[in-house]
């Protein structure tokens, strides 16, 4: 995965797992990766941890992670968990 | 417990940070849960708590070695079942309460991470209670149990946590410090992501919580006084006190500490205690007891006695008591360090005091209350409501328990309807932020959604207005036993009074009161009131211009309600309906006020205002209240035919000012607009004719109506900054009211039409519309113009032309007032104008320096017609004119 912008749809039923897979694919990537959250209704602590890990990996690799279609309730969760500042958002 | 003195190691910090991060994540995730989600989690938690009530109680007893197993089971059940019963139907997510009548909605916002200290005395019950509250309110909790109750508490946390997570709570929602040190507590109390500290425990824990600089619910120790008053049901009282003081061996901080007993019943009460298993200590035993259970150095109870049985304590002390002794009762003679047993004793030792009177009893209870029990709990047994009431006023306690056991009573929901709790707020007396029984609402940030209300408006006018030529004939319908006609010398001279007399019902007793020809002063008013009293007037006819009618309004007020304090009634206000002073409604006398206006300007015959001259302070005072409105208004043009030209012009412009100001007022409504617009149209059409052809009946009649119609508008929409300026200026320089208004008018129109420096907050208007309303007026007058600016400009020009046509001086300078004199007056003028209530309804909030600018514009006079083409420019031009 070394393209400039990649769009990946996150499965609302297995958010943490999907994010974990994305993280594994980050190796050798650069540029922008857009994760489509439009089918994610809620996140749990595992998903948050996975997001945090993903942000950490992306920082190390100069990849910009963009979350698209995040609903406002999840956006609030990210704010409260102090993760919102680690991503870019697209509506 | 780790060593309290050593600093936290890096590993420990990492551990604590991990706890906070986990709780923060859980709290964040929890915000997504709905009310239904939350309620689905709470119920199984409660059931799990109930199921484990006995196990947890047993664990607590084993570990803490204090309390009574059976009572701890009950506490655990209260903490689950009773608390559930209270919370189950309460909304704690989203909208939690609605107040449709006020348009307010309360919306819940969780707190986030709560750091919670729990006590040794009620260990597991407090944990169960807090877990249920936290889940119900979607919060995460890090628990720090008392070190000597850690095992039982952590087990309670585990049971609650596993059940909660199983039913959908986020992982990490509860954690429990796995060991305990003051440094851990300190670190967490100061952690930026801990949002609230809920400290239930001794004074140290509570103090630390409040000192952290974080919002805290610190609820601490008590010292419950009990007044056992002679009218009480003594059998009930004695049993209740025993139940309460022995409940869990006295560990509940709300339990009774000193019982103050009325002298008359003292002996029998002690006998009843003894009969039911209490040991009454003699003097020597009391002394021994005090020495053993109270630390002589600190004056506080000895921890080793806390939660122990009476017999165990007796054994420590070396007292010989019966084997089943429940309670040790120690008579004391006072409160304070000299009487060690007068403090809090969380074990079955109860102090008693014999009081010679109610007064003494209340004072001793107050002493106990102030000896460590402020804000906590107090108990009274009595059937005398007055004494109960007095007790509640004197004693500072968040819970004042009447005729029931203090400890179980304070816990709530058993003996009374207090909210069930295990945390008693002690208010500021106890250094706490609340006196409440801490409950779910303390675990929520309650947001208030405040919808804009459609403000109620009004249109109030006298219910009888007679107008057109010979309307005075309507006086015939008002019989009276004593009528006073109030008028001025000239009007009497020219025969106006005779016209009125002729039109009264035959044989009406009439007295004519001629008052000086000037704006009313207090001494004139007071003299008039004497006359009204002398003639026992039941009808007052005010025949004159604004001055006479205003004088009559104030005389009527003082005649009907002599207690009315004019100075006080003139107090400033922002909103008529919310003002501090109220006009009197109690009346000693009653008289109907009929106002017959003889000028066409003030409209005082229908208004709720009266202007009084305060000669001493050189200012005008405006009284405003609908009770001042005349009962009947007669608008008969025959009384204005005699008006000289100058008066016609001045009063006519006063009328125009009323209509223009009401038209753009922030209190304007469609009801007042219709009147204001019609009055403006009539003035522009008929005032020049009435001025130039004083005998033109139609013009006089129309102008007379215009004045009254404009007054209907400003009686309800009020006036504006023009009147504030004119009042100040007129009073200072002795310039007639209408003329003073005229000098300001064009400048004020331009000022109000510009974009305000400061908007006037007004619940009555949706937007700033003054400029548009002026433009509408210009259209109504057919003044032409394409843009709003042009129309406003045309209106200003038309107003100036009208003033010119009426030969009204067009600048203050033209009145012969020197620049130096005016300059000297300006600071006072601006101050007085700013104090004037008239501008409160102005569409634009005048700044003091803007008032000064307006005065100077009026001083210089002409030049307003050069209004700039944009509103913004208008402002700056106005300031530099
Ligand atoms: N109550 C209100 O709602 C209200 C509103 C605006 C102004 N005011 C107050 O009213 C007062 C001004 O009233 P005003 O403008 O009617 O003047 P006014 O009552 O002071 O009368 C002015 C002069 O005109 C004389 N006069 C009155 N009627 C006459 C007639 N028909 N023919 C010849 N002379 C006549 C009076 O004797 C007096 O000398 C001021 O105090 C002002 O503050 C009151
Ligand atoms: Fe006026």
């Amino acid at each position: 995965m070394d393209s400039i912008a990649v769009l990946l749809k996150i499965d609302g039923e297995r958010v943490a797992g999907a994010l974990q897979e994305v993280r594994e694919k980050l190796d050798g990537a650069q540029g922008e990766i857009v994760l489509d959250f439009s089918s994610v209704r809620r996140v749990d602590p595992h998903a948050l941890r996975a997001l945090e890990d993903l942000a950490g990996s992306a920082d190390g690799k100069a990849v910009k992670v963009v979350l698209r279609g995040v609903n406002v309730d999840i956006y609030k969760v990210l704010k409260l968990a102090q993760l919102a500042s680690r991503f870019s958002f697209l509506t | 417990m780790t060593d309290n003195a050593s600093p936290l190691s890096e590993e420990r910090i990492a551990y604590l940070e991990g706890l906070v991060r986990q709780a923060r994540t859980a709290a964040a995730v929890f915000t997504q849960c709905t009310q239904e989600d939350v309620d689905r989690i709470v119920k199984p938690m409660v059931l799990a708590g109930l199921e484990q009530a006995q196990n947890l109680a047993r664990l607590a007893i084993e570990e803490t070695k204090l309390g009574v197993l059976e009572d701890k089971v009950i506490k655990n059940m209260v903490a689950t079942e009773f608390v559930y019963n209270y919370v189950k139907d309460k909304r704690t997510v989203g909208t939690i309460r609605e107040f449709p009548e006020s348009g307010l909605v309360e919306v819940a916002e969780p707190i986030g991470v709560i750091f919670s200290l729990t006590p040794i005395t009620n260990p597991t019950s407090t944990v169960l209670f807090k877990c249920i509250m936290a889940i119900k309110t979607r919060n995460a909790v890090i628990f720090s149990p008392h070190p000597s109750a850690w095992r039982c508490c952590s087990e309670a946390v585990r049971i609650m946590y596993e059940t909660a997570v199983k039913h959908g709570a986020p992982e990490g929602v509860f954690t429990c410090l796995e060991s305990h040190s003051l440094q851990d507590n300190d670190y967490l109390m100061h952690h930026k992501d801990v949002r609230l500290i809920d400290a239930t425990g001794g004074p140290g824990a509570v103090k630390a919580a409040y000192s952290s600089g974080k919002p805290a619910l610190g609820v601490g120790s008590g010292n419950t006084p009990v007044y056992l008053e002679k009218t009480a049901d003594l059998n009930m009282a004695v049993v209740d006190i025993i139940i309460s003081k022995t409940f869990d061996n006295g560990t509940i901080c709300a339990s009774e500490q000193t019982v103050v007993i009325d002298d008359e019943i003292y002996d029998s009460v002690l006998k009843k205690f003894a009969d039911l298993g209490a040991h009454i200590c003699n003097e020597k035993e009391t002394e021994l007891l005090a020495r053993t259970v109270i630390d002589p150095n600190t004056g506080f109870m000895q921890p080793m006695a806390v939660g122990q049985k009476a017999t165990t304590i007796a054994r420590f002390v070396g007292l010989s008591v019966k084997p089943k002794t429940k309670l040790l009762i120690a008579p004391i003679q006072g409160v304070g360090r000299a009487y060690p047993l007068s403090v809090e004793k969380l074990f079955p030792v109860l102090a008693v005091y014999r009081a010679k009177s109610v007064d003494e009893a209340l004072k001793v209870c107050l002493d106990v209350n102030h000896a460590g029990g402020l804000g906590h709990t107090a108990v009274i047994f009595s059937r005398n409501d007055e004494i109960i009431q007095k007790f509640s006023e004197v004693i500072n306690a968040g819970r004042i328990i009447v005729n029931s056991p203090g400890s179980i009573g304070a816990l709530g929901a058993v003996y009374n309807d207090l909210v069930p709790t295990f945390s008693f707020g002690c208010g500021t007396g106890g250094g706490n932020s609340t006196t409440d029984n801490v409950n779910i609402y303390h675990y929520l940030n309650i947001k208030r959604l405040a919808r804009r209300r459609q403000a109620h408006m009004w249109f109030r006018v006298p219910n009888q207005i007679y107008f057109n030529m010979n309307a005075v004939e309507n006086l015939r319908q008002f019989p009276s036993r004593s009528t006073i006609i109030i008028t001025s010398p000239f009007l009497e001279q020219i025969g106006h009074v005779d016209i009125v007399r002729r039109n009264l019902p035959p044989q009406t007793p009439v007295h004519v009161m001629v008052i000086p020809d000037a704006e009313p002063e207090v001494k004139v008013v007071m003299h008039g009131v004497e006359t009204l009293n002398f003639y026992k007037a039941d009808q007052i006819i005010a025949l004159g211009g604004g001055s006479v009618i205003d004088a009559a309004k104030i005389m009527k007020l003082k005649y009907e309600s002599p207690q009315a304090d004019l100075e006080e009634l003139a107090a400033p206000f922002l909103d008529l309906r919310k003002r501090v002073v109220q006009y009197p409604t109690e009346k000693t006398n009653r008289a109907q006020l009929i106002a017959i206006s003889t000028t066409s300007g003030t409209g005082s015959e229908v208004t709720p205002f009266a202007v009084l001259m305060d000669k001493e302070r050189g200012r005008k005072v405006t009284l405003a209240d609908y009770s001042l409105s005349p009962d009947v208004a007669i608008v008969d043009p025959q009384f204005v035919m005699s008006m000289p030209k100058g008066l016609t012009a001045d009063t006519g412009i006063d009328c125009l000012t009323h209509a223009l100001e009401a038209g753009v007022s922030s209190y304007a409504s469609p009801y007042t607009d219709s009147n204001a617009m019609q009055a403006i149209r009539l003035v522009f059409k008929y005032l020049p004719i009435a001025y130039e052809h004083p005998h033109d009946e139609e013009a006089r009649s129309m102008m007379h109506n215009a004045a009254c119609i404009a007054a209907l508008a400003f009686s309800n929409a009020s006036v504006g900054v023009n009147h504030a300026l004119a009042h100040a200026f007129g009073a200072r320089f002795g310039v007639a009211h209408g003329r003073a208004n005229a000098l300001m008018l064009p400048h004020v129109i331009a000022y109000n039409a510009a974009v305000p420096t400061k908007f006037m907050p007004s619940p009555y208007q949706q937007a700033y519309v003054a400029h548009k309303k002026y433009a509408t007026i210009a259209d109504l007058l057919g003044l032409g113009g394409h843009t709003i600016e042009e129309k406003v400009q045309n209106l200003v020009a038309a107003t100036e032309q009208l003033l010119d046509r009426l030969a009204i001086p067009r600048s203050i300078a033209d009145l012969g007032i020197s620049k130096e004199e005016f300059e000297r007056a300006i600071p006072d003028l601006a101050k007085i104008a700013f104090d004037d209530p008239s501008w409160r309804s102005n569409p634009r909030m005048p700044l003091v320096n803007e008032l000064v600018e307006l005065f100077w514009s009026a001083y210089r006079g002409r030049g307003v017609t050069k209004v700039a083409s944009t509103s913004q420019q208008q402002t700056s031009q106005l300031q530099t004119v």
Side-chain angles (χ1 to χ4, degrees):
Chain A
M1 208 173 75
D2 49 5
S3 46
I4 300 300
V6 181
L7 174 66
L8 289 171
K9 192 160 178 77
I10 301 297
D11 181 351
E13 299 303 312
R14 41 179 295 280
V15 183
L19 290 170
Q20 179 57 30
E21 285 161 25
V22 172
R23 188 171 158 227
E24 282 156 15
K25 287 186 206 158
L26 277 187
D27 272 346
Q30 46 177 262
E32 195 171 282
I33 171 160
V34 181
L35 303 180
D36 182 359
F37 264 65
S38 54
S39 61
V40 182
R41 275 190 51 247
R42 282 191 185 186
V43 288
D44 64 8
H46 298 283
L48 284 195
R49 262 190 301 277
L51 273 169
E52 193 173 359
D53 292 345
L54 180 67
S57 304
D59 282 350
K61 303 199 169 64
V63 177
K64 183 176 168 198
V65 182
V66 179
L67 307 187
R68 192 174 88 173
V70 169
N71 73 36
V72 70
D73 294 330
I74 295 176
Y75 188 68
K76 177 168 176 169
V77 172
L78 297 178
K79 297 291 276 188
L80 292 172
Q82 296 168 20
L83 285 175
S85 60
R86 306 193 57 185
F87 298 97
S88 303
F89 292 87
L90 255 184
T91 12
Chain B
M1 201 161 131
T2 57
D3 176 10
N4 281 338
S6 59
L8 285 174
S9 64
E10 266 177 37
E11 296 79 58
R12 193 67 186 168
I13 289 175
Y15 162 72
L16 295 173
E17 284 294 334
L19 288 187
V20 175
R21 194 173 325 114
Q22 188 177 336
R24 189 182 70 199
T25 303
V29 166
F30 215 173
T31 60
Q32 301 166 105
C33 283
T34 62
Q35 186 72 63
E36 293 67 35
D37 294 335
V38 159
D39 291 343
R40 245 195 323 272
I41 307 168
V42 168
K43 192 170 176 186
M45 288 171 71
V46 169
L47 291 172
L50 281 168
E51 203 178 290
Q52 295 294 325
Q54 208 186 118
N55 274 345
L56 290 172
R58 205 174 293 282
L59 277 179
I61 294 275
E62 277 169 23
E63 186 180 5
T64 65
K65 313 234 169 352
L66 52 93
V68 177
L69 176 76
E70 293 78 0
D71 293 340
K72 288 214 183 287
V73 175
I74 290 182
K75 282 197 209 174
N76 287 339
M77 296 178 83
V78 169
T80 46
E81 180 178 287
F82 281 42
V83 170
Y84 180 66
N85 194 52
Y86 172 73
V87 303
K88 70 176 192 297
D89 297 322
K90 302 264 183 316
R91 289 204 57 90
T92 48
V93 179
T95 294
I96 57 172
R97 272 187 295 235
E98 281 183 85
F99 305 91
E101 64 295 348
S102 56
L104 293 178
V105 175
E106 290 182 350
V107 182
E109 174 82 28
I111 282 169
V113 179
I114 298 174
F115 178 52
S116 182
L117 302 179
T118 57
I120 185 173
T121 47
N122 311 312
T124 56
S125 46
T126 304
V127 169
L128 297 176
F129 164 68
K130 291 185 173 183
C131 286
I132 292 167
M133 287 212 301
I135 293 295
K136 181 78 186 177
T137 50
R138 299 181 297 168
N139 290 301
V141 187
I142 302 172
F143 282 99
S144 172
H146 189 283
S148 308
W150 184 83
R151 264 182 295 126
C152 60
C153 285
S154 62
E155 177 61 5
V157 174
R158 185 192 65 76
I159 293 165
M160 289 291 99
Y161 178 66
E162 286 178 2
T163 315
V165 170
K166 186 169 161 206
H167 291 87
E171 277 178 27
V173 74
F174 301 140
T175 45
C176 188
L177 279 171
E178 59 194 27
S179 62
H180 173 107
S181 74
L182 292 183
Q183 290 97 318
D184 285 353
N185 283 355
D186 189 63
Y187 188 85
L188 291 172
M189 281 186 188
H190 289 88
H191 198 290
K192 70 174 178 27
D193 291 335
V194 169
R195 301 293 175 186
L196 175 77
I197 301 164
D198 181 9
T200 313
V206 173
K207 188 156 182 258
Y210 279 117
S211 313
S212 69
K214 279 236 166 20
L217 285 169
V219 297
S221 50
N223 191 19
T224 301
V226 184
Y227 181 17
L228 181 36
E229 195 264 338
K230 56 181 168 295
T231 63
D233 178 335
L234 302 187
N235 290 325
M236 182 181 86
V238 168
V239 171
D240 280 356
I241 293 171
I242 294 176
I243 289 173
S244 181
K245 187 63 187 171
T246 60
F247 186 68
D248 206 20
N249 282 343
T251 50
I252 293 190
C253 49
S255 61
E256 295 77 352
Q257 305 301 336
T258 297
V259 185
V260 178
I261 307 168
D262 273 344
D263 187 34
E264 299 88 328
I265 55 168
Y266 184 85
D267 294 327
S268 77
V269 166
L270 287 205
K271 180 163 183 322
K272 284 177 198 293
F273 271 121
D275 290 349
L276 292 175
H279 174 85
I280 315 295
C281 299
N282 60 30
E283 210 176 309
K284 181 127 193 293
E285 289 173 329
T286 300
E287 209 191 303
L288 269 175
L289 183 62
R291 235 186 285 149
T292 317
V293 298
I294 305 296
D295 182 334
N297 298 320
T298 62
F300 292 120
M301 62 186 153
Q302 293 282 15
M304 58 78 180
V306 171
Q308 303 307 315
K309 283 196 219 127
T311 47
T312 311
I313 294 173
R315 194 153 25 84
F316 292 154
V317 178
L319 303 184
S320 128
V321 298
K322 289 188 192 142
K324 293 213 167 147
T325 296
K326 298 184 178 76
L327 190 60
L328 304 177
I329 291 187
I332 55 172
Q333 286 70 44
V335 176
R337 282 304 282 270
Y339 310 93
L341 289 169
S342 62
V343 297
E344 182 183 44
K345 309 165 285 292
L346 294 179
F347 38 82
V349 170
L350 183 68
V352 290
Y353 181 95
R354 182 195 281 262
K356 298 280 182 300
S357 64
V358 174
D359 183 62
E360 187 192 354
L362 290 174
K363 285 176 181 157
V364 174
C365 285
L366 195 60
D367 288 339
V368 174
N369 186 219
H370 279 253
L374 275 181
H376 205 296
T377 302
V379 179
I380 181 167
F381 289 94
S382 171
R383 288 192 179 102
N384 182 326
D385 274 341
E386 256 174 57
I387 294 178
I388 294 172
Q389 177 67 27
K390 189 73 202 166
F391 186 78
S392 73
E393 286 167 14
V394 171
I395 302 296
N396 176 359
R399 286 140 295 276
I400 296 171
I401 307 297
V402 182
N403 295 328
S404 31
S407 58
I408 310 173
L411 286 179
V414 183
Y415 283 87
N416 51 46
D417 275 339
L418 286 174
V419 176
T421 194
F422 279 80
S423 290
F424 307 109
C426 298
T428 56
N432 306 165
S433 56
T434 176
T435 53
D436 289 349
N437 276 8
V438 171
N439 61 73
I440 41 174
Y441 297 111
H442 298 100
Y443 270 27
L444 285 175
N445 289 306
I446 296 176
K447 304 178 282 189
R448 272 140 201 119
L449 190 72
R451 292 181 199 284
R452 187 181 181 124
R453 266 191 310 192
Q454 169 128 52
H456 295 180
M457 297 187 78
W458 60 89
F459 190 73
R460 295 177 64 173
V461 295
N463 64 3
Q464 299 183 62
I465 302 173
Y466 301 99
F467 54 93
N468 284 351
M469 196 56 94
N470 293 323
V472 70
E473 287 169 11
N474 287 283
L475 283 178
R476 299 235 160 83
Q477 56 179 308
F478 301 115
S480 146
R481 280 197 301 272
S482 175
T483 291
I484 308 292
I485 301 177
I486 305 174
T487 193
S488 59
F490 177 71
L491 296 171
E492 195 195 22
Q493 230 174 53
I494 62 172
H496 280 2
V497 172
D498 293 333
I499 302 175
V500 170
R501 266 182 202 276
R502 274 203 301 280
N503 284 284
L504 283 168
Q507 269 97 49
T508 304
V510 177
H511 174 81
V512 179
M513 184 199 301
V514 179
I515 60 170
D517 197 6
E519 290 171 319
E521 281 179 65
V522 176
K523 67 171 192 286
V524 174
V525 168
M526 295 318 293
H527 186 70
V529 174
E530 278 173 28
T531 310
L532 295 176
N533 272 311
F534 182 81
Y535 289 101
K536 298 202 173 9
D538 62 4
Q539 180 161 274
I540 303 166
I541 299 180
L543 174 69
S547 300
V548 166
I549 298 176
D550 284 6
K553 286 176 180 172
I554 306 169
M555 284 181 204
K556 174 179 148 134
L557 170 71
K558 284 293 286 181
Y559 172 60
E560 291 190 333
S561 306
Q563 74 277 20
D565 178 341
L566 296 182
E567 181 99 19
E568 188 186 301
L569 294 180
F573 59 87
L574 198 57
D575 183 333
L576 194 69
R577 294 175 303 168
K578 296 191 178 129
R579 69 160 166 221
V580 182
V581 276
Q582 294 298 320
Y583 276 62
T585 46
E586 272 175 36
K587 297 190 172 175
T588 325
N589 301 304
R590 268 177 202 280
Q592 159 162 277
L593 175 60
I594 302 177
I596 306 177
S597 44
T598 65
T599 58
S600 304
T602 69
S604 182
E605 67 276 9
V606 292
T607 69
F609 309 115
V611 180
L612 195 62
M613 191 66 195
D614 182 351
K615 269 261 165 76
E616 264 172 39
R617 290 192 227 169
R619 57 167 199 172
K620 288 186 178 188
V621 177
T622 304
L623 299 178
D625 192 74
Y626 286 99
S627 66
L628 292 172
S629 303
D631 304 288
V632 179
I634 293 183
V635 187
D636 185 338
Q638 71 177 299
F639 294 105
V640 293
M641 303 301 292
S642 55
M643 276 204 296
K645 281 184 121 178
L647 188 61
T648 302
D650 290 349
T651 54
I653 293 301
D654 188 24
C655 161
L656 176 62
T657 312
H658 294 156
L660 282 168
E661 294 213 284
V664 297
S665 158
S666 60
Y667 282 46
S669 71
Y671 292 75
T672 57
D673 280 357
S674 55
N675 286 289
M677 300 294 164
Q678 180 69 323
I680 292 165
R681 201 183 60 79
L682 291 173
V683 172
F684 272 93
K685 181 159 179 200
Y686 290 105
L687 180 55
I689 308 174
Y691 176 76
E692 282 154 15
H693 308 282
H695 300 295
D696 185 315
E697 264 186 33
E698 188 197 3
R700 285 295 200 190
S701 184
M702 289 303 172
M703 267 313 294
H704 212 29
N705 285 336
C708 183
I709 294 169
L712 297 178
F714 90 89
S715 292
N716 295 284
S718 192
V719 283
V721 71
N722 205 108
H723 267 75
L725 298 166
H727 285 155
F729 170 71
R732 171 85 177 224
F733 291 100
V735 175
H737 175 69
R739 183 153 297 207
N741 271 328
L743 288 162
M744 314 294 163
L745 191 55
H747 310 279
V748 168
I749 297 173
Y751 170 77
N752 279 340
V755 175
T757 317
K758 227 173 172 25
F759 286 97
M760 182 74 94
S762 166
Y764 306 110
Q765 303 296 328
Q766 307 276 0
Y768 193 75
V769 290
H771 54 317
K772 292 186 189 158
K773 286 186 120 180
Y774 284 134
T776 307
I777 293 167
D779 287 342
L780 181 80
L781 298 174
L783 299 179
H786 296 291
T787 62
I788 289 178
E789 281 81 6
E790 279 171 25
K791 290 176 185 183
V792 173
Q793 198 164 334
N794 291 347
L795 177 63
V796 173
T799 305
E800 295 204 302
Q801 278 160 20
L802 179 65
L803 297 176
D804 284 339
R805 204 162 154 191
L806 303 176
I808 290 182
R810 294 300 317 290
S811 74
I812 294 175
D814 286 353
L815 300 180
I817 296 167
S818 75
K819 196 169 173 200
E820 293 67 36
E821 190 185 359
F822 195 65
E823 193 151 27
R824 271 199 305 278
I826 278 276
D828 277 353
L829 290 181
K831 191 172 172 303
I832 292 170
F834 195 76
D835 276 344
D836 195 293
S838 305
W839 67 255
R840 307 277 191 267
S841 43
N842 199 61
R844 178 173 176 175
M845 185 189 274
L847 303 179
V848 176
N849 72 335
E850 291 175 344
L851 293 174
V852 170
E853 287 297 336
L854 281 165
F855 275 124
W856 277 118
S857 304
Y859 185 86
R860 290 185 285 260
R862 289 168 197 283
V864 189
T865 41
K866 297 181 209 95
V867 176
S869 59
T870 73
S871 302
Q872 283 294 3
Q873 282 169 306
Q874 279 173 29
T875 318
S876 54
Q877 180 164 11
L878 228 187
Q879 286 166 354
T880 53
V881 165

